Short mmCIF file of all heavy atoms in Angstrom, two decimals:
data_model
loop_
_atom_site.label_atom_id
_atom_site.label_comp_id
_atom_site.label_asym_id
_atom_site.label_seq_id
_atom_site.Cartn_x
_atom_site.Cartn_y
_atom_site.Cartn_z
N TYR S 63 -16.74 15.44 5.26
CA TYR S 63 -17.07 16.79 5.73
C TYR S 63 -18.09 16.77 6.88
O TYR S 63 -18.92 17.66 7.00
CB TYR S 63 -17.49 17.70 4.56
CG TYR S 63 -16.33 17.97 3.63
CD1 TYR S 63 -16.12 17.19 2.50
CD2 TYR S 63 -15.40 18.96 3.94
CE1 TYR S 63 -15.01 17.40 1.69
CE2 TYR S 63 -14.30 19.18 3.13
CZ TYR S 63 -14.11 18.39 2.00
OH TYR S 63 -13.02 18.59 1.22
N ASN S 117 -33.82 15.87 3.22
CA ASN S 117 -32.72 15.09 2.63
C ASN S 117 -31.33 15.70 2.71
O ASN S 117 -30.36 15.09 2.28
CB ASN S 117 -33.03 14.82 1.16
CG ASN S 117 -34.34 14.09 1.03
OD1 ASN S 117 -34.44 12.95 1.43
ND2 ASN S 117 -35.34 14.78 0.53
N SER S 118 -31.23 16.93 3.18
CA SER S 118 -29.90 17.55 3.28
C SER S 118 -29.97 18.69 4.28
O SER S 118 -31.06 19.16 4.64
CB SER S 118 -29.47 18.09 1.91
OG SER S 118 -30.32 19.16 1.53
N GLY S 119 -28.80 19.14 4.69
CA GLY S 119 -28.73 20.30 5.56
C GLY S 119 -29.27 21.54 4.86
O GLY S 119 -29.88 22.41 5.48
N THR S 120 -29.04 21.60 3.56
CA THR S 120 -29.56 22.72 2.76
C THR S 120 -31.08 22.81 2.88
O THR S 120 -31.64 23.86 3.16
CB THR S 120 -29.16 22.53 1.28
OG1 THR S 120 -27.74 22.60 1.18
CG2 THR S 120 -29.80 23.57 0.39
N GLU S 121 -31.73 21.68 2.67
CA GLU S 121 -33.20 21.66 2.79
C GLU S 121 -33.64 21.99 4.21
O GLU S 121 -34.69 22.61 4.41
CB GLU S 121 -33.74 20.27 2.42
CG GLU S 121 -33.71 19.96 0.96
CD GLU S 121 -34.25 18.56 0.70
OE1 GLU S 121 -35.33 18.20 1.20
OE2 GLU S 121 -33.57 17.79 0.01
N THR S 123 -32.19 24.01 6.49
CA THR S 123 -32.17 25.45 6.82
C THR S 123 -33.17 26.22 5.96
O THR S 123 -33.78 27.18 6.43
CB THR S 123 -30.77 26.05 6.65
OG1 THR S 123 -30.38 26.02 5.29
CG2 THR S 123 -29.74 25.31 7.50
N TYR S 146 -22.19 29.12 7.21
CA TYR S 146 -22.67 28.41 6.03
C TYR S 146 -23.90 27.61 6.42
O TYR S 146 -23.87 26.86 7.41
CB TYR S 146 -21.58 27.47 5.50
CG TYR S 146 -21.99 26.69 4.27
CD1 TYR S 146 -22.11 27.32 3.04
CD2 TYR S 146 -22.25 25.32 4.35
CE1 TYR S 146 -22.50 26.58 1.91
CE2 TYR S 146 -22.63 24.59 3.23
CZ TYR S 146 -22.75 25.23 2.01
OH TYR S 146 -23.12 24.51 0.90
N HIS S 147 -24.98 27.80 5.68
CA HIS S 147 -26.21 27.07 5.98
C HIS S 147 -26.70 26.29 4.78
O HIS S 147 -27.90 26.08 4.60
CB HIS S 147 -27.29 28.05 6.47
CG HIS S 147 -26.87 28.87 7.66
ND1 HIS S 147 -26.61 28.29 8.89
CD2 HIS S 147 -26.64 30.19 7.82
CE1 HIS S 147 -26.25 29.24 9.75
NE2 HIS S 147 -26.25 30.40 9.12
N GLY S 148 -25.79 25.88 3.91
CA GLY S 148 -26.18 25.14 2.72
C GLY S 148 -26.25 26.05 1.51
O GLY S 148 -25.85 27.22 1.56
N ALA S 149 -26.80 25.51 0.43
CA ALA S 149 -26.65 26.17 -0.87
C ALA S 149 -27.98 26.60 -1.47
O ALA S 149 -28.27 26.33 -2.63
CB ALA S 149 -25.91 25.22 -1.81
N GLU S 206 -24.62 29.23 13.29
CA GLU S 206 -23.87 28.02 13.61
C GLU S 206 -23.35 28.22 15.04
O GLU S 206 -22.52 29.10 15.27
CB GLU S 206 -22.65 27.88 12.69
CG GLU S 206 -22.92 27.36 11.29
CD GLU S 206 -21.60 27.14 10.52
OE1 GLU S 206 -20.91 26.14 10.80
OE2 GLU S 206 -21.26 27.98 9.68
N GLY S 210 -18.20 26.14 11.85
CA GLY S 210 -17.38 25.04 11.36
C GLY S 210 -17.10 25.16 9.88
O GLY S 210 -16.56 24.24 9.26
N ASN S 211 -17.48 26.27 9.32
CA ASN S 211 -17.35 26.47 7.88
C ASN S 211 -16.50 27.68 7.53
O ASN S 211 -16.59 28.24 6.43
CB ASN S 211 -18.74 26.61 7.26
CG ASN S 211 -19.46 25.27 7.17
OD1 ASN S 211 -19.05 24.40 6.40
ND2 ASN S 211 -20.49 25.07 7.95
N ASP S 239 -28.26 26.22 13.71
CA ASP S 239 -27.92 25.30 12.64
C ASP S 239 -26.90 24.31 13.19
O ASP S 239 -25.70 24.58 13.23
CB ASP S 239 -27.37 26.06 11.43
CG ASP S 239 -27.06 25.13 10.26
OD1 ASP S 239 -27.19 23.89 10.44
OD2 ASP S 239 -26.68 25.63 9.19
N GLU S 240 -27.42 23.17 13.63
CA GLU S 240 -26.56 22.14 14.24
C GLU S 240 -26.27 21.00 13.26
O GLU S 240 -26.12 19.85 13.65
CB GLU S 240 -27.23 21.59 15.51
CG GLU S 240 -27.39 22.63 16.61
CD GLU S 240 -26.91 22.11 17.98
OE1 GLU S 240 -25.87 21.41 18.01
OE2 GLU S 240 -27.59 22.41 18.97
N VAL S 241 -26.20 21.35 11.98
CA VAL S 241 -25.93 20.31 10.97
C VAL S 241 -24.57 19.66 11.24
O VAL S 241 -24.41 18.45 11.08
CB VAL S 241 -26.05 20.88 9.54
CG1 VAL S 241 -25.53 19.89 8.50
CG2 VAL S 241 -27.51 21.21 9.23
N ILE S 242 -23.60 20.45 11.68
CA ILE S 242 -22.31 19.87 12.08
C ILE S 242 -22.30 19.47 13.56
O ILE S 242 -21.91 18.38 13.92
CB ILE S 242 -21.14 20.85 11.84
CG1 ILE S 242 -20.84 20.98 10.35
CG2 ILE S 242 -19.87 20.37 12.58
CD1 ILE S 242 -19.67 21.91 10.02
N THR S 264 -31.72 22.90 13.23
CA THR S 264 -31.54 22.12 12.01
C THR S 264 -30.43 21.11 12.24
O THR S 264 -29.41 21.40 12.86
CB THR S 264 -31.19 23.01 10.80
OG1 THR S 264 -30.07 23.82 11.12
CG2 THR S 264 -32.37 23.89 10.43
N LYS S 267 -25.97 15.68 8.45
CA LYS S 267 -24.70 14.97 8.61
C LYS S 267 -24.78 13.75 9.55
O LYS S 267 -25.25 12.71 9.13
CB LYS S 267 -23.61 15.97 8.98
CG LYS S 267 -23.43 16.97 7.82
CD LYS S 267 -22.27 17.91 7.88
CE LYS S 267 -22.20 18.68 6.55
NZ LYS S 267 -22.08 20.11 6.67
N ILE S 275 -29.37 13.21 4.56
CA ILE S 275 -30.42 13.54 5.55
C ILE S 275 -30.37 15.01 5.92
O ILE S 275 -29.33 15.68 5.77
CB ILE S 275 -30.27 12.67 6.83
CG1 ILE S 275 -31.61 12.60 7.58
CG2 ILE S 275 -29.17 13.22 7.73
CD1 ILE S 275 -31.69 11.51 8.61
C1 PLP D 1 -22.95 21.01 5.70
C2 PLP D 1 -23.76 22.10 6.30
C3 PLP D 1 -25.01 22.46 5.79
C4 PLP D 1 -25.53 21.91 4.49
O1 PLP D 1 -25.79 20.55 4.56
P1 PLP D 1 -25.85 19.71 3.17
O2 PLP D 1 -26.30 18.36 3.62
O3 PLP D 1 -24.48 19.76 2.59
O4 PLP D 1 -26.85 20.39 2.31
C5 PLP D 1 -25.77 23.38 6.48
N1 PLP D 1 -25.32 23.94 7.61
C6 PLP D 1 -24.12 23.64 8.13
C7 PLP D 1 -23.69 24.26 9.42
C8 PLP D 1 -23.29 22.72 7.48
O5 PLP D 1 -22.08 22.46 7.96
#
Side-chain angles (χ1 to χ4, degrees):
Y63 293 94
N117 303 292
S118 66
T120 295
E121 286 179 50
T123 65
Y146 180 73
H147 304 296
E206 281 186 76
N211 285 292
D239 182 356
E240 296 228 40
V241 170
I242 288 182
T264 53
K267 297 189 173 131
I275 202 164

